[in-house]
Structures are given as C-alpha cells and as structure tokens.
C-alpha cells in the first residue's frame, strides 16, 4: 500500500467481494459517524490507510455478521484504540443483509429459519414472539412456513431492548416509521416497474439512502433533545 493511502474507490474495490452491499455512500456515512477517519490530502480527497481498511472490515463484520448496533461498535473501537481487547463477537450465523432474491444475494443460500430455531438463536421468549407476530412486526416470509433474516434481526433487537425498558408492543413505533419509508422507497422506484431487474436494484439503492437518512435524523433528534 502506498504511503499516500488509498482512494475511496479503491477501498470499495477491496471490500466489495467480502461485503457486496458496501458502497461509497456507506463508507462516507461511517466516516460521518466518526467510526473511521481517513487522512485528507491537500486536494481534499480521502486517503485510507491499511489500518482504516481493517477498521472498516471490523465495522462491516460486526454489523452484518453479529448484528451489533453502531453504539456498541463505537465502544469496541474506542477500546481497541486504547489497546484494550473488546469482548469477542458472538458466533452468530450471518443472514443476508438484503432479501435472498435480490441481486446482491443471488449467489447466497436463502436463510430459512423455523420457529424453534428463531426462538433458540434469538433467545426471545415465545410469549414475546407471539406478541410481535400479533403486532405484525415479525412475520413468516411471504408464501412460506419459515422465517427469514429480518425476523431473526427483529427478534434479537426485541431481546436487546427489553432490559432498556422498551416492550415488544412499543416496537410498533419503529414499524410505523418503516412502513412510511417503504411507501417512499416504492414510489421512488416505481419508474422502473417495467424492468424487474432494474426495479430491484433501484429499490435497494433508494432503501440504502433512506436508511442512512433515517440514522442521521435520529442523531439530529437526539442531539437537539439535550440542552
């Protein structure tokens, strides 16, 4: 690696094979969150060191393979920066970050989780699962008798927020916001409806941008809630 570092496009090329859903906008978002701080050349372009690339690998693995929120990832990185080894990441089988029929996941095996597996892997009480299903938050994959990666993610989230005082029924607030965002995403990609392949790609691209905007607006709201 040259001493001047790598441009963001080269970093994208290095990580794309391992993390197909990585994008320049996502790398920039992680930089905005302060999780990675590439050097700025005199020209203003970002220059990523070998350490920056490895840091991105850690972040992406923690997100996609272990479901860690950015808050926990940031805490782990702060420990690493201090020379302290963070707690080892739990070995969780990674679901696809997007639907199994999307272009990014076309070469990956579909995630099919039975009810018993969902309860075992998430450690979610069955009574809570029943409540989440009643609220329409966790559902079987459409037209099937099994759950997908999104159900496992939501079950794990429900387990993690319970000690923080957030009950399963209160996740309806998040669902309502997500439903409105889905309407926005589908409306934005409706132009490509005649070409299914292009429509899928457009939907995923819009969804990624909306997710980034959602995370940023959460941070804005939290920042302005403190005096």
């Amino acid at each position: 690696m040259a001493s001047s570092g790598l441009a963001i496009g080269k970093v994208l090329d290095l990580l794309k094979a391992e993390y197909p859903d990585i994008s320049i906008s996502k790398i920039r978002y992680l930089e905005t969150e302060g999780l990675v701080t590439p050097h700025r050349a005199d020209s203003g372009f970002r220059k990523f060191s070998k350490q920056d690339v490895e840091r991105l690998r850690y972040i992406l693995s923690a997100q996609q393979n272990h479901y860690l929120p950015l808050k926990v990832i940031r805490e782990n990185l702060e420990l690493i920066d201090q020379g302290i080894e963070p707690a080892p990441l739990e070995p969780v089988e990674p679901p696809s970050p997007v639907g199994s029929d999307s272009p990014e996941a076309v070469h990956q095996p579909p995630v099919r989780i039975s009810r018993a597996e969902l309860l075992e892997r998430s450690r979610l009480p069955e009574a809570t699962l029943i409540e989440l299903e009643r609220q329409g938050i966790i559902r079987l994959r459409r037209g099937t008798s099994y759950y997908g990666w999104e159900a496992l993610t939501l079950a794990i989230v429900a387990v993690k927020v319970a000690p923080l005082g957030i009950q399963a029924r209160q996740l309806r607030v998040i669902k309502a916001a997500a439903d409105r965002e889905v309407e926005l995403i589908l409306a934005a990609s409706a132009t490509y409806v005649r070409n299914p392949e292009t429509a899928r790609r457009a939907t995923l691209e819009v969804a990624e941008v909306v997710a980034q905007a959602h995370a940023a607006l959460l941070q804005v709201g939290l920042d302005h809630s403190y005096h």
Side-chain angles (χ1 to χ4, degrees):
M1 180 180 293
S3 59
S4 57
L6 296 174
I8 192 169
K10 182 61 177 178
V11 173
L12 181 67
D13 292 340
L14 288 174
L15 297 174
K16 196 74 174 176
E18 193 173 356
Y19 301 99
D21 67 332
I22 188 65
S23 65
I24 288 178
S25 61
K26 184 165 187 175
I27 295 174
R28 288 174 176 165
Y29 170 70
L30 294 174
E31 180 186 359
T32 301
E33 287 293 305
L35 297 178
V36 61
T37 54
H39 172 70
R40 288 278 186 167
D42 293 339
S43 61
F45 290 107
R46 298 170 178 83
K47 292 296 181 179
F48 292 80
S49 66
K50 179 179 179 180
Q51 289 74 23
D52 291 328
V53 175
E54 291 308 311
R55 196 176 181 91
L56 284 169
R57 280 201 174 96
Y58 177 86
I59 295 167
L60 295 171
S61 176
Q63 280 187 315
Q64 297 182 19
N65 299 340
H66 302 276
Y67 314 110
L68 291 187
L70 286 183
K71 178 179 181 295
V72 176
I73 295 174
R74 181 178 286 105
E75 292 171 352
N76 286 352
L77 290 172
E78 288 174 354
L79 290 175
I80 293 172
D81 291 341
Q82 297 171 33
I84 302 172
E85 187 71 21
L89 300 179
E90 296 181 4
V92 180
E93 181 181 343
S96 169
V98 292
S100 59
D101 59 346
S102 67
E104 284 79 358
V106 69
H107 298 302
Q108 300 178 14
V111 177
R112 301 188 177 195
I113 305 171
S114 68
R115 188 178 187 84
E117 288 174 328
L118 179 65
L119 292 170
E120 179 182 358
R121 291 170 62 178
S122 67
R123 300 180 183 177
L124 183 73
E126 186 167 14
T128 305
L129 174 58
I130 292 172
E131 174 65 16
L132 290 171
E133 289 179 314
R134 189 178 72 82
Q135 300 289 346
I137 295 170
I138 289 183
R139 301 180 181 181
L140 296 170
R141 294 303 300 269
R142 186 172 60 181
T144 74
S145 59
Y146 60 83
Y147 300 92
W149 67 268
E150 67 284 353
L152 178 58
T153 299
L154 288 166
I156 291 173
V157 166
V159 170
K160 288 183 176 181
V161 299
L164 304 177
I166 300 177
Q167 300 177 9
R169 58 184 176 80
Q170 292 176 302
L171 295 179
R172 290 178 300 177
V173 175
I174 301 175
K175 181 180 184 299
D179 288 343
R180 291 193 294 271
E181 289 173 354
V182 167
E183 292 177 1
L184 174 65
I185 293 166
L186 293 179
S189 57
T191 306
Y192 306 97
V193 70
R194 294 183 179 179
N195 186 326
E197 181 67 18
T198 303
R200 281 194 293 269
R201 291 186 179 276
T203 300
L204 290 172
E205 290 176 5
V206 176
E208 180 182 0
V209 173
V210 169
Q212 292 171 3
H214 180 97
L217 287 170
L218 279 177
Q219 187 61 55
V220 170
L222 290 172
D223 286 345
H224 285 266
S225 68
Y226 296 102
H227 300 287

